Amino acid sequence: MADRSSSLPPSPPRPDSASVRSWWGWGALDQALPDAECVSLAALVPGAAESALPVPSIASLALPAVRVSAPAALAHLVSSAPADRAAHTYGKAFRDVVRALYGDMAAAPDLVARPREERDVVELLDWAAGADVAVVPYGAGSSVVGGVEYRAGEHSGVLSLDLSGLDRVQEIDRVSRAARIQAGVLGPDLEAQLRPHGLT
Ligand SMILES: Cc1cc2nc3c(=O)[nH]c(=O)nc-3n(C[C@H](O)[C@H](O)[C@H](O)COP(=O)(O)OP(=O)(O)OC[C@H]3O[C@@H](n4cnc5c(N)ncnc54)[C@H](O)[C@@H]3O)c2cc1C
């Protein structure tokens, strides 16, 4: 593909995707419906609760103890912060949201890694393989089929590999209209990068 591909100009600035995503539910915090609106909508559904379930604070979550730590050379890519672990525990199915709202964090990964380039991924996988740490790739975490939740229970630890830092279009082949795109890009960011090339 390389010989027919256009040489890409510097990527356009990212669109404003900086709003904070909910750690327990779907969407961005600044776009969430207020509780009162949720309750009035729920009133349309027979049998629905009459008050909103409070969202647990991150500090109140009973996260399992962290069992593994990354080597010093990878420490800058890895987090064991409760907010990161909580946000990478589940996808976005109804059952995921319910478990998060009830503070059930039994399936939380030990660590969350955010690689910035391909070499980081290689080094993280090399370490994890040697340390018997299961790796769960994490794109946007919107799986509704349990895809980002570790359930095997047979490893020394679990690493959620958050690919959101790998969000660039790297190569476009104008003839075949194929593109080489890093694995963590979100849809709107991808569209913004393709638009200058007349592509969607
Ligand atoms: C409200 C809502 C509406 C939705 N509407 C639609 C819809 O209209 N149409 C539709 O098709 N889907 C829909 N979905 C489903 C969801 O968006 C898809 O499952 C989505 O494509 C998952 O992408 P993701 O990046 O969030 O993947 P994730 O949830 O992060 O990952 C999904 C699976 O892929 C694995 N994975 C992630 N990245 C990689 C990688 N680079 N290499 C290998 N494995 C990887 C993960 O480990 C996991 O098993 C909806 C979901 C929600 C919550």
Side-chain angles (χ1 to χ4, degrees), residues 21 26 91-93 135-149 161 163 183-186:
R21 292 172 63 197
W26 177 245
K92 299 301 180 198
V135 176
V136 182
Y138 188 100
S142 68
S143 169
V144 288
V145 293
V148 295
E149 181 183 344
L161 188 65
L163 299 161
V185 68
L186 298 180

Side-chain angles (χ1 to χ4, degrees), residues 39-50:
V39 170
S40 62
L41 280 173
L44 303 172
V45 182
E50 288 170 11

Side-chain angles (χ1 to χ4, degrees), residues 1-198:
M1 182 157 105
D3 25 342
R4 288 187 300 173
S5 62
S6 57
S7 115
L8 295 184
S11 298
R14 291 174 170 82
D16 182 20
S17 52
S19 53
V20 178
R21 292 172 63 197
S22 166
W23 68 266
W24 61 272
W26 177 245
L29 292 182
D30 58 4
Q31 292 166 11
L33 284 183
D35 281 358
E37 241 174 284
C38 292
V39 170
S40 62
L41 280 173
L44 303 172
V45 182
E50 288 170 11
S51 60
L53 206 57
V55 177
S57 68
I58 295 286
S60 73
L61 296 173
L63 286 151
V66 175
R67 297 166 294 170
V68 287
S69 58
L74 297 175
H76 63 294
L77 301 173
V78 174
S79 167
S80 60
D84 284 329
R85 295 177 66 206
H88 290 76
T89 300
Y90 298 124
K92 299 301 180 198
F94 180 69
R95 67 179 184 286
D96 298 334
V97 172
V98 169
R99 285 182 295 172
L101 265 182
Y102 279 103
D104 174 1
M105 289 287 118
D110 298 276
L111 302 171
V112 175
R114 292 187 175 86
R116 297 169 193 160
E117 51 188 291
E118 192 174 329
R119 192 182 50 193
D120 295 338
V121 176
V122 172
E123 289 175 3
L124 286 161
L125 292 179
D126 278 350
W127 163 68
D132 185 39
V133 170
V135 176
V136 182
Y138 188 100
S142 68
S143 169
V144 288
V145 293
V148 295
E149 181 183 344
Y150 173 82
R151 274 168 295 184
E154 293 160 357
H155 292 86
S156 304
V158 178
L159 175 80
S160 178
L161 188 65
D162 183 327
L163 299 161
S164 57
L166 297 170
D167 61 354
R168 303 280 85 187
V169 173
Q170 297 194 312
E171 198 178 351
I172 292 174
D173 181 334
R174 295 197 152 276
V175 176
S176 65
R177 295 190 179 183
R180 198 156 61 85
I181 303 160
Q182 290 184 314
V185 68
L186 298 180
D189 293 357
L190 176 55
E191 292 290 354
Q193 292 179 65
L194 293 176
R195 202 171 297 121
H197 303 277

